[in-house]
Structures are given as structure tokens and as C-alpha cells.
């Protein structure tokens, strides 16, 4: 249980990490890792704890990151990545370090991302994507265009996970489309309509995990499905 010698030394908050065999990708509010300038996004060697040469230079907070093959997707409050306009969501090539041409242009910030074979799902306080209305949750195609998938969530989405043909979300919402769904819901990945799965938490769900047929939830709630369950 002792702390290892691995010590990247970030100078500000880390909001999310994504591990690989060789690097830990970190995103947050920081501007340096181990004394090296790294604005809000860095790749840190899993053995040495030293920041790699990857330096995307993001101008504001990153809340969530996901790696898909050699493409690193991230979302947050930023509007510029590597000198290019990228509003709240962006992608970089981890080999070259370059910002990709994928640029959906979100009208408000992103809290959480998930990546499937053909789409990137983003949730947060989103109001528009590329000028088209999308309430808090949307699917973006590989080419950066907006998908027709449109669940229409009435409050902030804090977490997204993709499991068994559904997109599970947690947050501060109470409806998905025309259906009452309190703070946690499952949405069909094809139709965008909330499924019959309805745990009915009594307040915020902030994090989710899918494992072995179960969905684990954490947040500030004290009941789910009418049963007492304190925060997890």
C-alpha cells in the first residue's frame, strides 16, 4: 500500500486519466508536469513519470479523455488546441501530436465522452453542435458531422458509458426525451430513445461503471429504486 516512486508532479488539478501500457494520458487544469510546460493535456511515461514530448497546448480545462487506436479524444471548456479553434471537444493524433481535422464545434462544455466504432458520444451542458440544437447529449460521426441520434436530456450529463447496445448516462437530469428518468438512464444506441431500464435515483449520479452485467453508480444519491443506497 505504499506510494511508489512514480511522481509526475502536476502543478494543478487532474480531472481524468487514460492508461496504456506505455503512457498515462492526463487532462485537467494543469500547465506543467514535472516542471515541463504541458497545458491541460499530457502523456506521462508509466515507468519514469516523465512527460513525453506530446504537447497539444490546450487553452482551457479538460474534463474527460478517451483513446481510440492512435486518436485521443477529449472534452471540456477549451476553445483552442495547438493554435487551432476547437470548441469544447477535439482530437489529436498521439503519434504526430497534431490536432486532427475533426472539429464538431460545441456550444457549451463537455463533462464526459465515450467512443464507439463509428461515433463519439459527448455529454455535459451541450446546447448546440455545429449550430444544430442538441440538449446535453449527442453523438458525433467519425467525420465530425452531427448524428441524427438525439435523446434530448433536460439537465447536465456528468457521465457516459457504452455497454451492451445502450448508452448509460448519469447526471442532474430528470427527463430523457418525453420520459421521466431521474439522474440515471439507459438510451438505445440506435434509436436515441430511453429504454425501460429506470433505477430512479433521488439525486445526482456522477460516475458509472459497467462490469459483468451490472452497472455500478456513484454520486450524492441516498436512494435508488426506492431502496436506501448511500452514494454508491
Amino acid at each position: 500500500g505504499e506510494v511508489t516512486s512514480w511522481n509526475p508532479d502536476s502543478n494543478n488539478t487532474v480531472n481524468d486519466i487514460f492508461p496504456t501500457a506505455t503512457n498515462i494520458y492526463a487532462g485537467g487544469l494543469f500547465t506543467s508536469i514535472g516542471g515541463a510546460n504541458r497545458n491541460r493535456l499530457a502523456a506521462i511515461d508509466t515507468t519514469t513519470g516523465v512527460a513525453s514530448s506530446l504537447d497539444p497546448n490546450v487553452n482551457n480545462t479538460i474534463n474527460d479523455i478517451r483513446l481510440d487506436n492512435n486518436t485521443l479524444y477529449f472534452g471540456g471548456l477549451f476553445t483552442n488546441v495547438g493554435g487551432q479553434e476547437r470548441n469544447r471537444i477535439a482530437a489529436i493524433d498521439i503519434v504526430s501530436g497534431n490536432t486532427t481535422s475533426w472539429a464538431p464545434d460545441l456550444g457549451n462544455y463537455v463533462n464526459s465522452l465515450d467512443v464507439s466504432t463509428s461515433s463519439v458520444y459527448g455529454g455535459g451542458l451541450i446546447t448546440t453542435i455545429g449550430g444544430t440544437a442538441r440538449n446535453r447529449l449527442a453523438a458525433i460521426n467519425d467525420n465530425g458531422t452531427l448524428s441524427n441520434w438525439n435523446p434530448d436530456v433536460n439537465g447536465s450529463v456528468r457521465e457516459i458509458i457504452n455497454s451492451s447496445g445502450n448508452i448509460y448516462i448519469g447526471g442532474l437530469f430528470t427527463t430523457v426525451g418525453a420520459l421521466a428518468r431521474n439522474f440515471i438512464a439507459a438510451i438505445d444506441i440506435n434509436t436515441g430513445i430511453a429504454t425501460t431500464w429506470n433505477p430512479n435515483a433521488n439525486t445526482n449520479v456522477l460516475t458509472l461503471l459497467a462490469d459483468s452485467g451490472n452497472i455500478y453508480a456513484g454520486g450524492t444519491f441516498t436512494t435508488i429504486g426506492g431502496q436506501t443506497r448511500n452514494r454508491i
Side-chain angles (χ1 to χ4, degrees), residues 78-92:
F78 55 85
T79 57
N80 191 287
V81 177
Q84 300 185 55
E85 183 179 341
R86 291 292 183 273
N87 290 317
R88 290 96 186 181
I89 195 168
I92 62 167

Side-chain angles (χ1 to χ4, degrees), residues 9-146:
D9 189 22
S10 171
N11 75 331
N12 208 329
T13 305
V14 174
N15 286 329
D16 197 29
I17 56 176
F18 194 100
T20 70
T22 55
N23 288 309
I24 298 292
Y25 293 90
L29 285 73
F30 55 84
T31 56
S32 77
I33 298 288
N37 291 334
R38 293 292 182 274
N39 289 320
R40 288 93 186 181
L41 183 62
I44 304 164
D45 189 283
T46 54
T47 301
T48 65
V50 175
S52 78
S53 59
L54 186 77
D55 186 14
N57 191 25
V58 183
N59 77 330
N60 206 337
T61 306
I62 291 174
N63 289 330
D64 202 13
I65 52 180
R66 291 288 185 274
L67 183 64
D68 183 47
N69 295 316
N70 287 328
T71 303
L72 188 70
Y73 295 92
F74 50 98
L77 284 71
F78 55 85
T79 57
N80 191 287
V81 177
Q84 300 185 55
E85 183 179 341
R86 291 292 183 273
N87 290 317
R88 290 96 186 181
I89 195 168
I92 62 167
D93 184 301
I94 61 169
V95 177
S96 68
N98 294 331
T99 306
T100 73
S101 59
W102 191 79
D105 187 23
L106 273 62
N108 210 328
Y109 68 80
V110 174
N111 287 322
S112 184
L113 298 174
D114 207 296
V115 180
S116 74
T117 54
S118 59
S119 297
V120 175
Y121 297 88
L125 277 180
I126 299 163
T127 53
T128 61
I129 297 184
T132 302
R134 282 293 183 272
N135 290 319
R136 286 83 182 189
L137 181 64
I140 304 159
N141 297 320
D142 286 344
N143 62 5
T145 61
L146 181 62

